């Protein structure tokens, strides 16, 4: 069973920064497709950022220029660097893995393509 473990969430003031991490010990993050999703309170889950095995990234319009997704193959960790945080970024953030890169850039924010999910880490911006 693949397990994804997120960390790095917290409470920050608007304009602040956080870096989320997602680790796993069961596969190489650099050889698969991964993404960050978030679920704001009272709203649907939405894709935030994705990265494929060719290190091609994709971002939701709402976070472009503020968030950066990356991987560290040595640490086998997926990151989401968040800067310029806004209250509307408040959400539970989840990392997700599509082990077989079953889709394309057009489906990078389609939850159904991701096989495994973490438990989430809360980000609160006030």
């Amino acid at each position: 069973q693949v397990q994804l473990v997120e960390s790095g969430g917290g409470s920050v003031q608007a304009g602040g920064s956080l870096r989320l991490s997602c680790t796993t010990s069961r596969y190489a993050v650099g050889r698969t497709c991964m993404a960050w999703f978030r679920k704001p309170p009272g709203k649907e889950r939405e894709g935030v950022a994705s990265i494929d095995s060719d290190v091609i990234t994709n971002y939701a319009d709402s976070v472009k220029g503020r968030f950066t997704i990356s991987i560290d193959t040595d640490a086998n960790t997926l990151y989401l660097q968040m800067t310029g945080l806004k209250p509307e970024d408040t959400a539970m953030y989840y990392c997700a893995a599509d082990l077989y890169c079953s889709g394309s850039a057009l489906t990078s924010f389609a939850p159904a393509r991701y096989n495994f999910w973490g438990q989430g880490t809360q980000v609160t911006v006030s």
Side-chain angles (χ1 to χ4, degrees):
Q1 181 70 16
V2 174
Q3 287 188 318
L4 303 176
V5 180
E6 302 101 332
S7 62
S11 296
V12 297
Q13 292 187 338
S17 300
L18 284 172
R19 188 178 75 163
L20 306 183
S21 301
C22 174
T23 60
T24 180
S25 60
R26 298 300 297 273
Y27 67 91
V29 296
R31 297 181 182 178
T32 188
C33 295
M34 300 192 72
W36 288 97
F37 287 78
R38 68 186 181 187
K39 189 178 185 308
K43 296 184 179 181
E44 297 294 317
R45 179 175 50 184
E46 61 185 10
V48 175
S50 67
I51 187 166
D52 68 14
S53 54
D54 294 320
V55 202
I56 296 174
T57 59
N58 190 31
Y59 295 92
D61 289 342
S62 59
V63 306
K64 281 180 181 177
R66 299 189 299 122
F67 290 11
T68 303
I69 189 171
S70 63
I71 58 173
D72 181 333
T73 54
D74 290 337
N76 209 39
T77 299
L78 173 75
Y79 296 104
L80 183 68
Q81 178 68 49
M82 305 185 294
T83 62
L85 283 162
K86 304 176 181 180
E88 51 263 44
D89 294 319
T90 295
M92 185 70 79
Y93 283 73
Y94 301 89
C95 66
D98 171 10
L99 295 187
Y100 306 108
C101 289
S102 59
S104 67
L106 293 176
T107 62
S108 61
F109 294 151
R113 70 174 275 190
Y114 293 92
N115 319 95
F116 300 99
W117 294 79
Q119 293 299 306
T121 185
Q122 178 68 38
V123 172
T124 302
V125 185
S126 59

